[in-house]
Structure formats: C-alpha cells, structure tokens
Amino acid sequence: MHKMNKKITGAAVITLSAVMLSACGSPEGNIQNHWSEAAGAEEEFSEKDKKLTQLAKEEQNVFENLTSYENEEQKKIKSSIEKAVSSVKERKELMEEEKEEINKAYDEAMEAGEPINNLENEKMTKKAQQAQQAMEKRNEAFNSVHGAYTEAADKEIEMYESFTDENLELESLEKHLDKINSSYKKVESFRDSFNTETKSFNEAKNAFEEMVEAES
C-alpha cells in the first residue's frame, strides 16, 4: 500500500537586524526599522512550523493503524478517524496563523518602500530594492504554500472519513493517497521557493546594513 508523503521542509524566517541606526529618522534607519518589525512579526513562526511537522508525524502512525484494523474493529476505527481529522484541522489552523504572520511581515517590509526612494546612495538603493523584490516573491510563494497545504489537508479529511465505509476498497484508498501526495509535492516545491527568497532577502538586507555601518 502507498504511504502518505508529508515530508515538509522547515520554512526559513527573516533574520533580525544586526545593526540599528541611532539616527532612526533617516531613510536608512527607517528602512532597517521596518525590516526589523517584519522579522518580529514572524517571532512565533518557527514554533508553529515544528508543531505542524510533529502533528503530521503523529497522523502517519494513526493512518498506519487504520489500515491494519479489521472491519469488526469499528470502535477503534472511529476513534482513530476522529483523532486524525482533529489533527488535520489543527494543522489547517496553524497554517492560517502562519499565513497571517507572513502577510503581516510582508506588509511591514513594504512600508520601507518610501524611505528607500529617499536614499541618496545608489548602491544602497539597489540593494534595498533587491531585498524588497525578494520579499514580494517570498510572500507570493508562501501564499502558494498555504493554498496547496489547505488543499492537501481537505483531501486528507475526505480520505479519513472514507474509512467509515466498511466496503472501502484498496484501489479507492490509493487514489486518495495519490491525490494527497501530489498536493504535498506542490507544498514542498512552493516551500523551496519560499526558502530561496527568504535567503535572498536576508542576504540583501545584511549587505545593506553593512553599507550603512561602513558609512556611520
């Protein structure tokens, strides 16, 4: 029998600013402050991501138990279904919370747009714009993660509820699994893009901060 492939790589977060400008009213200082606030908006993101991974691992055990029960073990089947569906719903809620954090961080980072336009140093301007572009792509990627993840979770709930059918056939179950695994492959792909853009943002942000520090 096929297995559910819920291997989800951890998501990267924005690094906190290493340099804070004393002249915080300057364009450079305002940019750094907005980026720092964006990082702060994701303060709980990593913990939520760990919880998502843990719940997915526990569900895998529940799923394996479900496939081993005989039809006459209806009480065990029902209990396992309820546990699995509850866990999936909890993961969906966590994903919603992650999306809110990412979008909040994005909105905060975009506030740096005006002070970036007021920069006088051309190299700083270019590096700051690179960071903003990466942030835009990063946000788009996570919204795609959210969509694919929600799609996969809904299909999982549908699959678990199918176990109440005593005449459930292996072929039908495997079709469910193929659809779920396909959705999780999309999640992984979008997560990879998200992590790549996070890295790009952090690199551009750090380079910008080094320029600021060099001129201070």
Side-chain angles (χ1 to χ4, degrees), residues 40-58:
E42 297 180 11
E43 188 176 3
E44 299 179 4
F45 187 87
S46 294
E47 287 303 313
K48 287 185 174 69
D49 224 41
K50 289 178 183 178
K51 181 65 174 176
L52 279 172
T53 301
Q54 182 60 36
L55 286 169
K57 287 180 179 179
E58 292 172 359

Side-chain angles (χ1 to χ4, degrees), residues 169-209:
E169 295 182 356
L170 179 60
E171 183 179 357
S172 176
L173 180 58
E174 289 184 339
K175 284 181 180 179
H176 273 299
L177 288 171
D178 286 340
K179 291 178 181 178
I180 292 168
N181 289 336
S182 177
S183 292
Y184 276 117
K185 285 180 181 178
K186 292 180 185 177
V187 173
E188 281 196 73
S189 177
F190 291 134
R191 282 261 185 161
D192 287 343
S193 297
F194 172 81
N195 288 341
T196 296
E197 296 304 333
T198 301
K199 182 179 179 181
S200 296
F201 173 82
N202 285 331
E203 288 176 348
K205 178 183 71 67
N206 292 339
F208 174 86
E209 290 173 345

Side-chain angles (χ1 to χ4, degrees), residues 2 16 26-27 45 51 57 69 79 94 100 118 125 134 141 150 158 163 168 172 179 181 187-188:
H2 297 330
L16 287 167
S26 68
F45 187 87
K51 181 65 174 176
K57 287 180 179 179
Y69 291 143
S79 176
L94 284 168
E100 288 177 10
N118 295 328
T125 300
T150 301
E158 182 181 340
F163 276 92
L168 176 65
S172 176
K179 291 178 181 178
N181 289 336
V187 173
E188 281 196 73

Side-chain angles (χ1 to χ4, degrees), residues 137-164:
K137 293 179 181 178
R138 177 181 189 264
N139 193 62
E140 290 174 5
F142 197 83
N143 284 335
S144 295
V145 168
H146 171 269
Y149 198 97
T150 301
E151 179 183 274
D154 288 339
K155 288 175 180 176
E156 282 185 86
I157 291 174
E158 182 181 340
M159 180 200 66
Y160 283 125
E161 291 177 342
S162 74
F163 276 92
T164 59

Side-chain angles (χ1 to χ4, degrees), residues 13-152:
V13 294
I14 305 169
T15 57
L16 287 167
S17 295
V19 180
M20 290 303 294
L21 222 62
S22 57
C24 58
S26 68
E28 294 89 346
N30 287 331
I31 291 165
Q32 288 177 284
N33 286 339
H34 285 303
W35 288 346
S36 181
E37 288 294 324
E42 297 180 11
E43 188 176 3
E44 299 179 4
F45 187 87
S46 294
E47 287 303 313
K48 287 185 174 69
D49 224 41
K50 289 178 183 178
K51 181 65 174 176
L52 279 172
T53 301
Q54 182 60 36
L55 286 169
K57 287 180 179 179
E58 292 172 359
E59 282 168 36
Q60 184 64 44
N61 293 330
V62 174
F63 172 75
E64 290 173 0
N65 287 336
L66 273 170
T67 58
S68 67
Y69 291 143
E70 301 295 334
N71 284 340
E72 57 267 20
E73 297 181 280
Q74 284 300 308
K75 286 186 178 180
K76 289 182 179 179
I77 292 173
K78 183 179 179 181
S79 176
S80 293
I81 291 172
E82 290 175 351
K83 182 178 180 180
V85 170
S86 176
S87 180
V88 174
K89 288 180 178 179
E90 185 177 355
R91 283 195 290 112
K92 285 182 67 176
E93 290 175 4
L94 284 168
M95 177 54 67
E96 287 296 330
E97 291 174 9
E98 284 194 349
K99 182 173 179 287
E100 288 177 10
E101 287 189 20
I102 295 297
N103 289 344
K104 185 177 179 181
Y106 167 77
D107 290 341
E108 183 62 45
M110 290 302 102
E111 291 294 322
E114 184 175 346
I116 288 173
N117 292 333
N118 295 328
L119 288 170
E120 296 180 358
N121 185 307
E122 187 176 340
K123 289 184 178 180
M124 281 188 187
T125 300
K126 183 177 180 180
K127 194 56 65 176
Q129 289 174 341
Q130 287 177 356
Q132 295 297 88
Q133 289 166 3
M135 177 59 79
E136 289 181 6
K137 293 179 181 178
R138 177 181 189 264
N139 193 62
E140 290 174 5
F142 197 83
N143 284 335
S144 295
V145 168
H146 171 269
Y149 198 97
T150 301
E151 179 183 274

